[in-house]
Amino acid sequence: MAHAQDLRDDKSVEEAYFTLRSKHQIPALGLGTWKAEPNVVRDAVYSAIVENGYRHIDCAHVYGNEKEVGAGLKAAFDAGIKRDDIFVTSKLWIKFTSPEKVKDACQQTLKDLGLTYLDLYLIHWPIYLSEDADSPPKKRQVLPFDVKGVWREMEGLVERKLVRDIGISNFSVPKLEKLMSFASIKPAVNQVEMHPSWRNDNVLAYCNKNNIHVTAYSPLGSSSTDLFDTPEVIEAAEKLGKSPGQILIRWLIQRGVSTIPKSSSDKRIKENMEVFDFSIPAEDMDKLSSISSQVRTNAGEELLVSSEDDKDAILNEFWDGEM
């Protein structure tokens, strides 16, 4: 099977890349690095890029492993991979979502990754916490979030050529509408939780209408969702001779959504890439897209809700009723 780097010129596999509003291309499949241990993520990044053809690496300051991700990138570049062929995403953490902190935070990420620019920089969550905030935070540690001021600074990163594209993560439709009302550089990407048990249909529809590409995190579900045991997933996997994980990844790509499954296993990294040589038939796509139980597994509770708060009220307000 052709690796992702070979797929740009393969007209039969249009899903290998998606085109952003800037006309830059984002690979349909990337390697997520959340919860990847620093002592293994370097080798995972190298293996993904050099041995398995990945061209998108997704990371974030809060993951605590960007220096090691950078070491993996350097090893790949030393092996002959060109920087311009790799799409690197990182994210502005919630303790830096204040206008005066944006540039320094981005420059620290670039230093840690050993890069001169990012392909995509996202506001990780639409909140701002004090730098001494606990997890979860106390009420006094939740500060006013100046989304307009922060976005202006994000736009400045593009102007300084530190970042090629900017976007957001975990933004609901009302929050997207507010951002779109004043953004000079419109967001290129909204990265959100998405899988058959949390389709996020309203966000996807809004983003499609407004030319905001969607990237899915947690594409295989989480410890609280047994997607691999879902009858619809099992049925499609058996019919097509694929693994449940491959079905879940392919479902997203056929929705027009890129995705970033996390893995440190060479076997899983290779398996996740092998999704460009088949399609899920329409009837199975419909079944996967009609699972009645819809549960958001990453509501940000540990970031938003302290013991002083009414959890349901706080989360419902944050997600603008989409729980």
Side-chain angles (χ1 to χ4, degrees), residues 101-309:
K101 297 179 181 179
V102 172
K103 181 181 175 184
D104 287 348
C106 180
Q107 289 179 322
Q108 184 61 55
T109 276
L110 288 170
K111 180 180 178 181
D112 289 343
L113 292 171
L115 301 177
T116 58
Y117 71 92
L118 293 170
D119 295 274
L120 179 63
Y121 198 44
L122 307 176
I123 297 175
H124 205 153
W125 289 81
I127 52 176
Y128 177 37
L129 301 185
S130 64
E131 292 200 34
D132 66 345
D134 301 311
S135 182
K138 298 179 175 64
K139 284 186 177 180
R140 63 174 176 79
Q141 296 170 329
V142 180
L143 306 174
F145 175 47
D146 177 9
V147 61
K148 189 171 185 177
V150 169
W151 192 253
R152 290 281 179 258
E153 292 300 314
M154 295 283 284
E155 292 172 335
L157 299 177
V158 178
E159 293 162 2
R160 296 184 184 94
K161 300 188 185 304
L162 297 176
V163 174
R164 298 184 80 195
D165 281 295
I166 51 177
I168 62 278
S169 182
N170 299 302
F171 269 54
S172 64
V173 169
K175 290 178 174 63
L176 287 168
E177 289 175 331
K178 180 177 180 180
L179 175 60
M180 292 289 282
S181 72
F182 59 73
S184 296
I185 299 176
K186 305 296 185 184
V189 172
N190 187 20
Q191 187 179 117
V192 297
E193 178 183 351
M194 187 178 291
H195 45 74
S197 289
W198 184 252
R199 291 188 301 272
N200 227 333
D201 288 334
N202 289 344
V203 165
L204 181 60
Y206 180 88
C207 288
N208 286 344
K209 182 179 178 181
N210 289 276
N211 197 19
I212 302 169
H213 177 70
V214 173
T215 296
Y217 68 75
S218 297
L220 309 181
S222 69
S223 58
S224 61
T225 54
D226 297 320
L227 288 179
F228 282 35
D229 296 326
T230 303
E232 294 86 349
V233 175
I234 293 172
E235 180 183 352
E238 291 178 348
K239 178 187 294 186
L240 296 167
K242 295 294 180 178
S243 72
Q246 289 170 327
I247 294 299
L248 292 166
I249 291 168
R250 183 69 203 183
W251 175 79
L252 286 162
I253 292 172
Q254 287 183 215
R255 289 190 108 197
V257 173
S258 61
T259 187
I260 44 169
K262 174 261 174 181
S263 182
S264 299
S265 158
D266 285 345
K267 180 178 181 294
R268 183 61 62 82
I269 287 171
K270 181 177 186 296
E271 178 183 293
N272 288 347
M273 177 55 79
E274 295 174 343
V275 294
F276 295 101
D277 59 353
F278 75 99
S279 293
I280 300 173
E283 62 179 342
D284 295 293
M285 281 294 294
D286 288 344
K287 290 178 182 178
L288 291 165
S289 300
S290 302
I291 293 173
S292 59
S293 176
Q294 293 292 298
V295 180
R296 186 191 296 277
T297 64
N298 185 23
E301 182 176 338
E302 73 283 2
L303 305 177
L304 299 163
V305 183
S306 74
S307 58
E308 308 164 56
D309 295 323

Side-chain angles (χ1 to χ4, degrees), residues 67-85:
K67 288 183 179 180
E68 292 76 13
V69 170
L73 289 169
K74 182 179 185 302
F77 299 150
D78 289 346
I81 302 296
K82 295 179 180 179
R83 166 65 184 99
D84 288 350
D85 289 337

